[in-house]
Amino acid sequence: MPLRKKRNIFHICYPISSTNLIFKSYMCVYVLSRRWVYQFQSLLVIIRREYRCHLNCLKLMSFLSRAKEKRNRLSLLVQKAEFHTDTHSNRPGHSGKESRVLLEEAKRWGESFDKLLSHRDGLEAFTRFLKTEFSEENIEFWKACEDFKKIKEPQQITCQARAIFEKFIQNDAPQEVNLDFHTKEVITKSITHPTLHSFDAAQSRVYQLMEQDSYTRFLKSDIYLDLLEGRPRRPTNLRRRSRSFTCSEFQDVKSDVAIWL
């Protein structure tokens, strides 16, 4: 009688096809788990890297904040030092030689308007006087024209001419100067192709106005008399306006005043 083969209990419970399926499933789970572990480790590396970058950014912001604070403190100290220097230099008897030189120069300023503008301190004193009369746009325009005539590059001529026109010449300019209609019209037409002499007529007109009007009052002002007598500079607190009146605007002043009456 032939011997019967023993059958494996595992084969009885699970056929061969089921065993392969379970083995493949375990392998898939193992591979997926290893992949998930690798992705999780990569994610941890990215998180650590971002965290370090965040810390570096915080340190950089803190450093910049401290540097800005130190810079503000340093600028404050410099301003205080300059203030004390100016206060000390304005005391009577601080520099007798310098006072005598300034006194001699101030006397020459009374000889002609040209000598006043040709001296740096005279120009500064006259500018302070015009601010008290709210007509500093005249001297600002004159100085802008003087700087304009020193330009050598053609590209800067066009750019600077446009800036002067928009600031002093055009209607409703921030510091519009008092010019006649013909002079303003000539400048307006030539502003597209300006030259170094485009503002000569306007500058001459403003120069004459200052010489005939403002200069005579400057020689009688406290600013000039204090310089002649060697008195210290007086503080002036002025409320500056945006621009001066022009000839065309004086016609409307009477009607505006009538509103309040």
Side-chain angles (χ1 to χ4, degrees):
M1 189 173 177
L3 293 175
R4 296 179 61 185
K5 278 186 176 183
K6 271 188 178 180
R7 298 190 64 182
N8 195 347
I9 301 176
F10 183 80
H11 288 171
I12 296 174
C13 297
Y14 301 99
I16 297 176
S17 59
S18 299
T19 303
N20 293 336
L21 182 60
I22 292 173
F23 177 76
K24 290 180 180 180
S25 300
Y26 276 118
M27 290 298 298
C28 289
V29 171
Y30 175 76
V31 171
L32 290 175
S33 62
R34 291 297 299 269
R35 184 177 299 175
W36 290 340
V37 169
Y38 176 75
Q39 291 179 354
F40 182 73
Q41 291 176 348
S42 302
L43 182 61
L44 286 178
V45 172
I46 295 174
I47 292 174
R48 290 174 182 173
R49 189 181 304 164
E50 294 294 332
Y51 179 71
R52 290 174 182 173
C53 291
H54 182 67
L55 287 180
N56 293 333
C57 290
L58 290 178
K59 291 180 181 179
L60 180 61
M61 291 175 63
S62 177
F63 172 77
L64 292 177
S65 178
R66 291 195 300 270
K68 185 177 180 180
E69 184 178 358
K70 291 180 180 179
R71 185 190 64 183
N72 293 336
R73 290 180 180 178
L74 181 61
S75 62
L76 182 61
L77 291 175
V78 171
Q79 290 177 0
K80 287 183 178 180
E82 291 178 352
F83 174 77
H84 289 301
T85 303
D86 294 339
T87 305
H88 183 66
S89 61
N90 289 331
R91 293 177 182 176
H94 174 67
S95 179
K97 183 177 179 180
E98 183 179 356
S99 299
R100 287 194 298 270
V101 172
L102 183 60
L103 179 60
E104 294 175 359
E105 292 293 339
K107 291 180 179 179
R108 295 192 184 97
W109 301 344
E111 297 176 1
S112 67
F113 186 52
D114 185 62
K115 290 183 179 181
L116 173 66
L117 297 186
S118 61
H119 196 273
R120 182 186 62 182
D121 294 332
L123 181 60
E124 191 270 336
F126 186 66
T127 302
R128 286 194 293 115
F129 169 74
L130 291 182
K131 288 181 179 180
T132 62
E133 292 197 337
F134 305 104
S135 58
E136 66 271 19
E137 67 276 356
N138 293 325
I139 194 64
E140 295 294 339
F141 173 70
W142 184 86
K143 290 190 293 186
C145 292
E146 288 294 308
D147 295 336
F148 176 74
K149 289 186 288 188
K150 298 176 183 177
I151 298 177
K152 297 181 179 180
E153 297 183 5
Q155 296 179 353
Q156 292 185 359
I157 293 176
T158 304
C159 181
Q160 192 65 22
R162 172 60 63 178
I164 294 175
F165 177 79
E166 294 177 354
K167 186 176 181 180
F168 299 103
I169 305 298
Q170 70 179 6
N171 295 329
D172 297 328
Q175 291 183 299
E176 184 179 358
V177 293
N178 190 1
L179 296 174
D180 58 278
F181 176 78
H182 177 71
T183 304
K184 186 180 294 186
E185 189 69 16
V186 171
I187 296 176
T188 303
K189 291 180 180 179
S190 64
I191 197 63
T192 54
H193 301 286
T195 64
L196 294 178
H197 304 284
S198 296
F199 300 103
D200 286 353
Q203 185 184 14
S204 177
R205 173 63 178 166
V206 172
Y207 182 91
Q208 292 176 3
L209 290 175
M210 292 190 297
E211 184 180 19
Q212 298 172 4
D213 187 23
S214 301
Y215 176 59
T216 56
R217 291 196 303 273
F218 168 75
L219 297 179
K220 301 176 183 179
S221 65
D222 292 335
I223 295 177
Y224 181 65
L225 295 179
D226 289 344
L227 292 174
L228 289 179
E229 298 177 6
R231 291 196 296 262
R233 179 187 300 182
R234 302 180 185 182
T236 54
N237 297 323
L238 303 177
R239 179 179 60 84
R240 301 189 62 180
R241 63 180 180 174
S242 59
R243 61 186 181 89
S244 62
F245 285 109
T246 57
C247 292
S248 60
E249 291 175 333
F250 276 110
Q251 300 174 358
D252 300 332
V253 173
K254 187 178 296 183
S255 61
D256 293 337
V257 175
I259 297 174
W260 298 98
L261 299 175

